[in-house]
């Protein structure tokens, strides 16, 4: 650990390249990356790709089966929901919600977590005590229950979901950053920088942070999968994005009313969640194996 | 572990529990909308009546005092009145709790009973077909959204094959007198085997749905720690002693490999609490989780507050137990 | 003296990402009954892997690729796993470098002793009570043999409740429970304090004399070998480089590596003189060409050394793997 950390300063670039090459060799991880990319493209280009208007209701097409089934129409490839809306188009638009919330929560939480973790690990003393106590207390809540409590308080809405999840999520990168900072701050190159008269801000940002970024990135990607499931769960419970905006979780929930006659309404949005989350999990495992072998099996 | 150390750990719990209570209190205190208005609803009352109500709820006092009163009341399980039920919140929760505990325990048993043998087998036959299937399975297990998996199970086993019930805890014709609130026990107390079977059939799908992520995680932990343990010198030494393979694997390796599994299991039991809300909603399970979800839409804030606090305290205690179990099981870790 | 263990041309390989590693490459050795053989070499020289191979304990990705292992007249490589298991712990016992990691932290010392008897001793009474007390008596006897005070109460304790020296004794007691014919002691003293090192080695020598067993003492300490072993075998990079009676090998080493090892030992008598470490590093064991493996570090190396070198006679009962023996006599 010590040697590796010291070595990684001059070699940061080449080490990063080697890790990247390791990652590229992992076929499963690359396949997952492609799946993620497809979802991102779907989200960004939704208006161009979606075959139908996701919110246009048409009672004549109520619970219309998928294209290949009897009574289906390929213009509505995955069938229609209880209000006659095209499920495929809603899944495409729903990707926007999942990916936006996933990214927003992770960026927000990682940013806050890095700041808090660096401060706690570098300054120690009362700063560390206060931050660690807050972390302990937030860890005392089951995640979904904390988010549900907050959503009950703040009311539904896109930004509220991001906040409700980020309020707890930052704890995870914070703990990782704090632990790594504690380990790294005593190393020789940090001591050297300090001896040369570098201020705390310089040391934290230029000396410590670059060397602890790998585990933070790895954790963040793993957590992203979790955040997407949590958003879908909140939407499923009716606490997420409000109708008629398409969100995968609420689409699955809508389909519950029709499990007897229209299996497709719940099934396809669920597959979308599973695919995206699975792809992120597999890719992050590949990332972990390549960039942070300490955590791999 | 010495009693003194145990006491020290318990004392360390206090600030966390206080902090958790404070957050729950603040969460609800900051909730937009005036509690009195919500209570009163459409009824018209005079300003005097309103002031009196406000006073009786303690809403006219300073925040710090209100928090203190909240803590004192919580210590006595007094969480006020559920607006919707017109009864004390504690009573309503107590009524729903057994259903949730029963489901969680069964899910826990299902998860442990599948995860540990699978994890051990996967580790012993590393890179075998079983290992690969188990690894893919555990990846699926953590990636499946529980609410969707539950609906799939219902569509497959209840709607399509019609071999298991769609929702609820027990059929109407099999209801028995509530003694403990745990149907598996109450049906047996009533001597009604058919009802017991019915209650069990109702449990299968929700328990699998609830236990799946935990199974996936525990399996991975067991596999990893088993692999780790099998690399240890004491396993080599046990083999050098010429012990039967079974004994090396189960007595020497597994006993040590289970230490992390058990403490992860205790932590993951906490995550069952969150999963309960989803699973109870999907399967129409009349437990605490569904009660909370319903209460959110009814703006039944005292109940939400009490339930969130209950969940959080349970979670903190489970983590505490995980911590203690880890040290107790591991003779090497001296506190 | 009759031969108890005879290994010929043993080759043990490990499939690693970097390639096939021949951790043991053509090792031959003999251990006579009642004899103590010292095996010396740096870490990575293949000394431990050689004897893991003998015990059939080489694990994937490693495997014994070639050679024969004869013990007490039986061909160990030809045995079924169950037959090999019956020999391990009963006829050939092993102790490991660090008893702290070799003893199971989660089981009592008593249980770890009892299980060896249960696995191997068919003479134990079958009645439950008699069986239990027979096991108990033997355990107490063994702990007494290795000098653990108050063995009755200590049987119920866990390994972490003992001192380092006590743990090492317990591990030896466990290994000796079934009175094996051969004890393989892998670095029995490395993990111990100097004073306790001597006690443990004395204990092994003492028991060896009393039980008449053979001992293989794997170590990197030539001092230990000089004091306790009849013969010594020096290993380097997976091969035996020198072998012979201890006093001769240490008194007049013939292989440049053995000489280097001896020169690198700090000796009180020579205080003030600089220690001369061997220059250079052990070669990477992947894809070694068939030539003298020591030549890159050897002060005597010449162009002609870059060929495959067999073990050559180096005096009565002695052999060394070097083409420059005439320069070292």
């Amino acid at each position: 650990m010590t040697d590796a950390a010291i070595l990684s300063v001059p070699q940061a670039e080449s080490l990063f390249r080697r890790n990247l090459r390791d990652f590229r060799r992992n076929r499963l991880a690359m396949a997952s990356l492609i799946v993620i990319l497809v979802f991102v493209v779907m989200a960004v280009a939704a208006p161009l790709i979606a075959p139908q208007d996701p919110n246009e209701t048409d009672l004549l097409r109520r619970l219309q089966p998928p294209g290949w089934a009897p009574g289906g129409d390929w213009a509505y490839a995955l069938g229609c929901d209880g209000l006659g809306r095209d499920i495929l188009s809603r899944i495409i638009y729903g990707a926007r919600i999942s990916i936006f919330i996933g990214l927003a929560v992770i960026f927000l939480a990682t940013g806050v977590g890095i700041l808090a973790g660096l401060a706690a690990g570098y300054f120690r003393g009362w700063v560390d005590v206060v931050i660690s106590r807050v972390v302990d207390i937030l860890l005392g809540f089951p995640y979904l229950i904390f988010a549900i409590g907050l959503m009950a308080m703040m009311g539904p809405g896109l930004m509220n979901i991001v906040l409700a999840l980020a309020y707890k999520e930052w704890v995870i990168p914070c703990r990782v950053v704090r632990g790594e900072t504690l380990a790294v701050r005593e190393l020789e190159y940090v001591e050297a920088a300090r001896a040369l008269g570098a201020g705390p801000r310089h040391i934290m940002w230029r000396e410590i942070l670059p060397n602890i970024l790998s585990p933070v990135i790895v954790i963040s990607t793993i957590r992203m999968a979790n955040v997407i499931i949590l958003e879908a769960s909140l939407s499923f419970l009716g606490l997420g994005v409000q109708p008629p905006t398409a969100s995968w979780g609420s689409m699955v929930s809508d389909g519950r009313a029709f499990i007897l006659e229209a299996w497709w309404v719940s099934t396809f949005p669920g597959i979308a969640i599973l695919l995206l989350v699975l792809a992120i999990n597999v890719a992050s495992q590949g990332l972990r194996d390549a960039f942070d072998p300490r955590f791999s099996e | 572990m010495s009693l003194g150390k145990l006491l020290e750990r318990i004392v360390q719990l206090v600030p966390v529990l206080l902090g958790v209570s404070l957050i729950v209190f603040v969460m609800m205190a900051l909730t937009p909308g005036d509690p009195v208005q919500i209570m009163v609803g459409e009824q018209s009352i005079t300003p005097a009546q309103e002031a009196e109500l406000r006073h009786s709820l303690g809403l006219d006092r300073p925040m710090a005092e209100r928090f203190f009163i909240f803590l004192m009341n919580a210590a006595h399980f007094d969480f006020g009145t559920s607006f919707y039920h017109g009864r004390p919140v504690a009573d309503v929760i107590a009524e729903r709790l057994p259903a949730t505990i029963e489901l969680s325990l069964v899910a826990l048993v299902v998860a442990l009973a599948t995860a540990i043998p699978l994890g051990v087998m996967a580790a012993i036959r590393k890179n075998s077909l079983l290992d690969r299937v188990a690894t893919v399975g555990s990846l699926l297990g953590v990636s499946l959204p529980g609410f969707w998996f539950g609906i799939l199970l219902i569509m497959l086993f209840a709607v399509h094959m019609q071999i298991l019930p769609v929702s609820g805890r027990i059929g109407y014709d099999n209801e028995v007198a509530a003694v403990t609130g745990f149907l598996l026990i109450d049906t047996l107390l009533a001597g009604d085997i058919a009802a017991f079977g019915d209650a069990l059939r109702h449990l299968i799908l929700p328990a699998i749905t609830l236990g799946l992520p935990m199974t996936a995680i525990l399996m991975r932990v067991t596999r990893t720690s088993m692999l780790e343990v099998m690399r240890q010198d004491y396993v080599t030494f046990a083999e050098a002693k010429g012990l039967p393979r079974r004994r090396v694997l189960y007595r020497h390796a597994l006993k040590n490999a289970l230490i992390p599994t058990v403490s992860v299991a205790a932590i993951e039991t906490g995550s069952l609490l969150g999963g309960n809300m989803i699973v109870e909603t999907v399967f129409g399970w009349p437990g605490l989780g569904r009660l909370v979800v319903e209460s959110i839409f009814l703006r039944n804030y005292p109940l939400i507050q009490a339930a969130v606090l209950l969940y959080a305290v349970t979670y903190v205690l489970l983590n505490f137990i995980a911590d203690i179990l880890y040290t107790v099981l591991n003779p090497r870790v001296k506190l | 003296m009759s031969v108890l263990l005879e290994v010929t041309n043993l080759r043990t390989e490990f499939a690693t990402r970097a390639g096939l590693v021949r951790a043991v490459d053509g090792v031959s050795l003999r251990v006579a009954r009642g004899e103590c053989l010292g095996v010396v070499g740096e870490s990575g020289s293949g000394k431990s892997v050689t004897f893991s191979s003998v015990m059939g304990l080489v694990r994937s990705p490693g495997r014994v690729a070639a050679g024969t292992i004869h013990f007490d007249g039986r061909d160990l490589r030809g045995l079924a796993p169950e037959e090999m298991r019956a020999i391990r712990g009963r006829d050939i016992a092993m102790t490991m470098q660090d008893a702290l990691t070799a003893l199971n932290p989660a089981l009592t010392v008593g249980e770890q002793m009892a299980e060896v008897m249960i696995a191997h001793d068919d003479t134990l009474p079958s009645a439950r009570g008699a069986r239990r007390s027979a096991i108990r008596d033997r355990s107490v006897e063994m702990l007494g043999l290795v000098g653990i005070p108050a063995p009755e109460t200590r049987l119920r304790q866990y390994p972490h409740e003992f001192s380092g020296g006590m743990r090492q004794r317990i591990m030896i007691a466990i290994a000796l429970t079934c009175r094996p014919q051969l004890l393989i002691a892998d670095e029995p003293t490395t993990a111990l304090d100097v004073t306790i090192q001597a006690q443990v080695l004395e204990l092994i020598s003492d028991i060896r004399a009393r039980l008449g067993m053979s001992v293989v003492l794997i170590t990197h300490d030539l001092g230990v070998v000089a004091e306790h072993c009849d013969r010594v075998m020096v290993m380097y990079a997976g091969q035996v480089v020198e072998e012979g009676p201890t006093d001769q090998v240490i008194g007049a080493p013939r292989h440049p590596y053995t000489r280097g090892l001896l020169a690198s030992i700090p000796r009180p008598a020579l205080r003030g003189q600089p220690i001369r470490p061997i220059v250079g590093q052990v070669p990477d064991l992947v894809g070694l060409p068939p030539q003298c493996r020591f030549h890159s570090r050897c002060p005597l190396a010449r162009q002609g050394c870059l060929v495959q070198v067999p073990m050559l006679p180096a005096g009565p009962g002695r052999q060394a793997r070097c083409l420059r023996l005439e320069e070292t006599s």
Side-chain angles (χ1 to χ4, degrees):
Chain A
M1 169 66 219
T2 315
D3 292 342
I6 294 169
L7 286 175
S8 67
V9 182
Q11 293 191 341
E13 184 63 27
S14 62
L15 190 72
F16 182 79
R17 284 219 181 114
R18 204 186 62 214
N19 290 339
L20 206 64
R21 205 183 54 225
D22 277 358
F23 182 76
R24 284 218 197 98
R25 277 210 200 115
N26 186 337
R27 273 204 212 142
L28 203 58
M30 286 311 287
S32 306
L33 212 58
I34 292 171
V35 173
I36 297 170
L37 223 62
V38 168
F39 273 109
V40 171
V41 169
M42 250 164 69
V44 174
L48 301 176
I49 299 173
Q52 309 291 336
D53 178 342
N55 295 327
E56 192 187 285
T57 59
D58 178 354
L59 288 181
L60 291 176
R61 295 191 182 277
R62 184 172 186 273
L63 301 182
Q64 176 178 300
W68 61 87
D73 173 354
W74 277 107
Y76 301 83
L78 299 181
C80 296
D81 67 6
L83 295 173
R85 294 175 297 196
D86 178 39
I87 291 178
L88 177 59
S89 303
R90 289 182 72 72
I91 289 179
I92 292 171
Y93 272 86
R96 296 186 142 191
I97 301 293
S98 286
I99 290 172
F100 170 76
I101 290 180
L103 285 175
V105 170
I106 290 300
F107 272 111
L108 202 61
T110 308
V112 174
I114 285 176
L115 284 177
L118 272 178
Y122 187 79
F123 294 117
R124 298 196 284 191
W126 66 267
V127 181
D128 188 22
V129 170
V130 170
I131 291 175
S132 296
R133 260 298 114 72
V134 174
V135 166
D136 282 346
I137 290 167
L138 284 176
L139 284 174
F141 287 93
Y143 208 130
L144 188 61
I145 286 156
F146 187 76
I148 285 175
L150 280 177
M151 291 308 289
M153 171 193 125
M154 300 190 297
L158 197 62
M159 284 329 283
N160 286 353
I161 302 177
V162 173
L163 285 177
L165 295 176
Y167 273 135
K168 193 169 146 84
E169 184 62 40
W170 68 273
V171 163
I172 288 152
C174 173
R175 277 170 97 202
V176 174
V177 171
R178 176 181 173 273
E180 296 283 324
T181 305
L182 280 176
V184 167
R185 77 183 294 265
E186 305 299 337
L187 294 182
E188 282 162 47
Y189 71 91
V190 177
E191 293 285 347
R194 205 175 290 140
L196 288 173
R201 205 193 297 182
H202 172 88
I203 293 174
M204 282 193 278
W205 289 109
R206 310 295 302 181
E207 307 292 340
I208 297 181
L209 188 60
N211 284 291
I212 63 175
L213 223 44
S214 282
V216 178
I217 292 170
V218 168
I219 293 283
S220 298
T221 52
I222 297 171
R223 295 300 309 171
M224 174 117 159
N226 224 33
V227 166
I228 289 176
I229 287 205
L230 280 164
E231 179 276 320
S233 303
L234 287 176
S235 296
F236 173 80
L237 291 175
L239 296 170
V241 184
Q242 291 304 290
T245 311
S247 144
W248 295 342
S250 56
M251 289 173 72
V252 172
S253 175
D254 292 344
R256 285 176 64 213
F258 313 114
I259 51 173
L260 293 179
E261 66 262 45
W263 56 270
W264 53 91
V265 184
S266 275
T267 305
F268 293 119
I271 290 176
I273 304 173
L274 175 63
L275 268 181
L276 179 58
V277 171
L278 193 62
I280 295 176
N281 274 332
V282 172
S284 70
Q285 200 161 353
L287 214 59
R288 181 174 53 177
D289 292 346
F291 280 79
D292 204 5
R294 274 178 301 158
F295 292 121
S296 58
E297 286 162 16
Chain B
M1 172 153 45
S2 71
L3 197 66
K5 294 289 181 186
L6 185 67
L7 281 175
E8 200 182 309
R9 289 281 177 94
I10 292 173
V11 170
Q12 283 168 2
L13 274 181
V14 174
V16 176
L17 288 175
L18 271 179
V20 163
S21 316
L22 180 63
I23 288 183
V24 173
F25 173 76
V26 171
M27 227 185 237
M28 292 305 148
L30 293 183
T31 299
D34 181 25
V36 174
Q37 285 303 324
I38 295 166
M39 259 184 94
V40 172
E42 304 293 307
Q43 310 162 47
S44 58
I45 55 169
T46 67
Q49 279 174 312
E50 190 189 319
E52 200 202 348
L53 192 56
R54 207 168 282 280
H55 182 74
S56 72
L57 288 170
L59 294 174
D60 53 350
R61 298 177 203 217
M63 274 293 184
E65 198 181 332
R66 278 171 63 190
F67 177 56
F68 182 73
I69 296 170
F70 166 73
L71 275 184
M72 286 298 112
N73 288 342
H76 296 99
F77 298 105
D78 176 4
F79 297 101
T81 308
S82 164
F83 305 152
Y84 177 75
H85 300 86
R87 285 191 293 147
V89 167
D91 290 0
V92 179
I93 288 180
E95 204 175 273
R96 297 288 201 108
L97 211 45
T100 293
I101 294 175
E102 186 169 41
L103 175 59
S104 303
L105 285 180
V106 173
L108 180 65
V109 170
V110 169
L112 287 174
T114 44
I116 292 176
L118 274 178
V120 170
M121 297 291 284
I124 293 174
R125 305 188 206 294
K126 196 182 174 215
N127 295 327
S128 67
L129 183 67
L130 176 90
D131 184 23
R132 279 158 214 266
V133 170
T135 305
V136 172
S138 81
L139 208 53
L140 270 177
V142 293
S143 305
L144 270 173
F147 54 89
W148 180 66
F149 183 59
I151 292 172
L152 278 193
L153 289 181
I154 292 177
M155 289 201 287
L156 190 63
F157 292 98
V159 176
H160 186 69
M161 295 163 72
Q162 305 202 337
I163 50 174
L164 289 168
V166 174
S167 70
R169 287 181 82 191
I170 197 159
Y172 288 114
D173 42 348
N174 278 322
E175 285 191 25
V176 293
V179 182
T180 59
F182 298 98
L183 284 184
L184 289 184
I185 297 176
D186 286 349
T187 49
L188 287 181
L189 285 178
D192 190 341
I193 296 300
F196 177 79
D198 192 33
L200 203 58
R201 276 161 30 87
H202 278 82
L203 266 167
I204 294 175
L205 295 183
I208 289 175
T209 310
L210 185 57
L212 183 77
M214 185 175 178
T215 310
I217 289 166
L218 283 184
M219 204 205 74
R220 218 143 82 177
V221 170
T222 308
R223 176 179 177 275
T224 311
S225 78
M226 191 74 184
L227 282 176
E228 171 71 27
V229 163
M230 289 203 300
R231 277 199 293 271
Q232 299 296 312
D233 278 356
Y234 53 76
V235 170
T236 309
F237 189 55
E239 279 179 346
K241 285 153 81 176
L243 303 181
R245 183 158 172 78
R246 294 182 64 86
R247 187 167 173 91
V248 175
L249 286 179
Y250 298 115
R251 191 73 189 156
H252 282 267
L254 188 57
K255 191 165 182 206
N256 286 288
L258 282 183
I259 295 171
T261 306
V262 169
S263 61
V264 171
I267 294 170
E268 285 301 313
T269 307
S271 76
L272 289 182
L273 299 174
N276 265 321
M277 306 211 172
I278 300 284
V279 173
E280 290 183 7
T281 303
V282 171
F283 289 94
W285 193 262
L288 184 56
R290 205 173 65 150
L291 181 67
V292 173
V293 175
E294 289 164 357
S295 298
I296 290 171
F297 297 105
L298 297 169
R299 298 180 147 233
N300 193 351
Y301 292 115
L303 198 144
I304 300 170
Q305 190 175 41
V308 172
L309 187 64
L310 180 67
Y311 277 122
V313 169
T314 313
Y315 193 63
V316 170
L317 292 180
L318 280 169
N319 282 326
F320 172 72
I321 291 171
D323 210 22
I324 300 295
L325 270 180
Y326 186 80
T327 45
V328 169
L329 285 177
N330 195 344
R332 256 184 312 185
V333 179
K334 280 179 254 174
L335 282 180
Chain C
M1 277 195 292
S2 68
V3 174
L4 180 65
L5 175 70
E6 176 160 29
V7 174
T8 35
N9 279 323
L10 180 71
R11 198 170 81 219
T12 303
E13 300 171 339
F14 287 82
T16 69
R17 220 182 264 181
L20 199 63
V21 174
R22 288 189 175 172
V24 176
D25 194 3
V27 167
S28 300
L29 65 95
R30 284 174 174 209
V31 180
R33 284 182 196 279
E35 181 187 49
C36 178
L37 172 71
V39 181
V40 188
E42 295 163 89
S43 41
S45 61
K47 54 193 198 304
S48 292
V49 179
T50 301
F51 291 93
S52 301
S53 309
V54 168
M55 293 206 70
L57 289 177
V58 176
R59 273 194 238 162
S60 168
R63 68 183 191 103
V64 177
T68 58
I69 304 166
H70 283 276
F71 175 79
D72 199 15
R74 300 174 77 181
D75 174 11
L76 296 190
R77 282 196 68 202
L79 293 184
E82 268 308 290
E83 295 172 305
M84 192 61 220
R85 182 188 73 67
I87 288 180
R88 273 199 299 266
R90 189 187 66 196
D91 302 311
I92 310 179
M94 185 168 98
T95 64
M96 302 180 75
Q97 182 166 338
D98 187 357
L100 180 64
T101 57
L103 295 176
N104 194 320
L107 304 179
T108 62
V109 165
E111 179 172 353
Q112 297 187 59
M113 297 202 72
E115 61 185 1
V116 194
M117 295 175 225
I118 294 168
H120 294 297
D121 194 345
D122 305 327
T123 64
L124 285 174
S126 50
R128 234 188 125 103
R131 189 180 172 87
R132 195 179 281 173
S133 65
I135 289 174
R136 201 186 145 72
D137 292 347
R138 262 283 272 304
S139 303
V140 168
E141 183 201 333
M142 291 311 295
L143 286 187
L145 183 71
V146 297
I148 305 274
E152 291 88 351
T153 50
R154 306 230 82 178
L155 281 176
R156 282 191 298 274
Q157 293 182 322
Y158 289 91
H160 73 264
E161 297 173 77
F162 292 82
S163 69
M166 287 288 180
R167 270 197 296 266
Q168 215 76 9
R169 286 160 188 271
I170 288 167
M171 180 170 62
I172 293 168
I174 291 174
L176 298 181
T177 307
C178 291
R179 311 266 150 116
Q181 302 181 62
L182 174 64
L183 173 71
I184 297 169
D186 191 353
E187 305 267 6
T189 56
T190 312
L192 300 177
D193 294 341
V194 185
T195 47
I196 302 169
Q197 283 185 7
Q199 291 176 15
V200 167
L201 287 168
E202 276 313 313
L203 176 73
I204 292 175
S205 286
D206 182 44
I207 294 175
R208 177 184 138 220
R210 271 204 267 170
L211 302 183
M213 68 180 177
S214 309
V215 172
V216 170
L217 199 62
I218 302 174
T219 177
H220 55 254
D221 186 344
L222 277 167
V224 167
V225 171
E227 213 164 319
H228 297 274
C229 301
D230 306 314
R231 280 193 313 120
V232 61
M233 178 174 115
V234 182
M235 288 190 69
Y236 183 79
Q239 294 182 327
V240 180
V241 293
E242 181 158 13
E243 184 246 328
T246 307
D247 46 347
Q248 291 181 34
V249 171
I250 290 186
R254 300 292 301 277
H255 194 282
Y257 177 64
T258 319
R259 302 174 114 202
L261 272 186
L262 280 161
S264 68
I265 299 174
R267 263 178 272 202
L270 304 176
R271 188 158 298 163
Q273 288 200 10
I275 297 168
R276 285 175 296 150
I278 306 176
V279 195
Q281 284 184 333
V282 182
D284 191 346
L285 291 178
V286 178
L288 274 183
Q291 60 189 30
C292 173
R293 293 184 178 180
F294 188 60
H295 81 273
S296 63
R297 302 169 75 182
C298 180
L300 305 177
R302 308 223 179 109
Q303 201 56 41
C305 290
L306 297 177
V307 293
Q308 195 161 10
V309 185
M311 287 293 273
L312 298 167
R318 294 184 64 177
Q319 287 183 305
R321 197 181 290 275
C322 183
L323 295 174
R324 306 271 165 256
L325 286 180
E326 71 279 8
E327 292 167 46
T328 59
S329 57

